[in-house]
Amino acid sequence: MAKFTWDHVHIRTPDPEATAQWFEKMLGAEVIRSMQQGAPRIDMKIGGANVFLAPVKTGDGVASPPQTPYQGLDHFGLSVTGIDAIAADLKAKGVKFTREPTTVRPGTRVCFIEGPQGVSIELLDRTV
């Protein structure tokens, strides 16, 4: 069997700069600006993972974001330590929560937040 490793997550957005700023401010993403084929490109690193932002322009045939829940890719998860303090900080910054911090099983607390373009993000605090 071939070996597979994660490379990136790709987010399409009508405003890559605003999306990058949200992830930087709310989740501490490292924003990486470069040029690609003569046009500005914005990528991010979140928890060591690559997140690429692709610009969406009116009329380019890209569908609107779906409403959760839906079939297919549902969300991505980020590990954290001290979820309750982190949730309080994110709430103070105005982040929308779609699920408040809750214990889903002994040693695991989770919450869900909504990012730009309705991207669902799970925060997980595992103590065991």
Side-chain angles (χ1 to χ4, degrees):
M1 178 71 156
K3 180 181 177 183
F4 297 90
T5 59
W6 280 103
D7 185 77
H8 69 274
V9 172
H10 207 130
I11 298 174
R12 294 181 184 272
T13 173
D15 192 341
E17 184 62 41
T19 299
Q21 288 176 11
W22 187 94
F23 278 94
E24 182 179 44
K25 178 181 177 185
M26 303 304 180
L27 303 179
E30 174 190 354
V31 177
I32 303 160
R33 291 177 174 79
S34 63
M35 297 294 286
Q36 182 177 12
Q37 298 174 341
R41 176 181 172 132
I42 301 177
D43 298 318
M44 303 180 295
K45 287 266 191 193
I46 303 174
N50 295 314
V51 178
F52 301 155
L53 301 179
V56 173
K57 296 182 178 132
T58 302
D60 65 4
V62 174
S64 298
Q67 297 294 313
T68 60
Y70 54 90
Q71 292 183 21
L73 180 62
D74 182 67
H75 67 275
F76 65 88
L78 301 172
S79 295
V80 301
T81 301
I83 196 168
D84 294 305
I86 291 168
D89 180 57
L90 292 173
K91 284 180 186 180
K93 292 177 181 176
V95 172
K96 179 181 175 183
F97 279 71
T98 56
R99 184 175 185 187
E100 294 292 325
T102 186
T103 301
V104 293
R105 61 186 162 276
T108 305
R109 287 181 57 74
V110 304
C111 66
F112 284 82
I113 60 175
E114 184 177 293
Q117 286 71 59
V119 171
S120 182
I121 304 163
E122 179 182 16
L123 305 180
L124 299 98
D125 189 346
R126 300 178 199 259
T127 58
V128 292

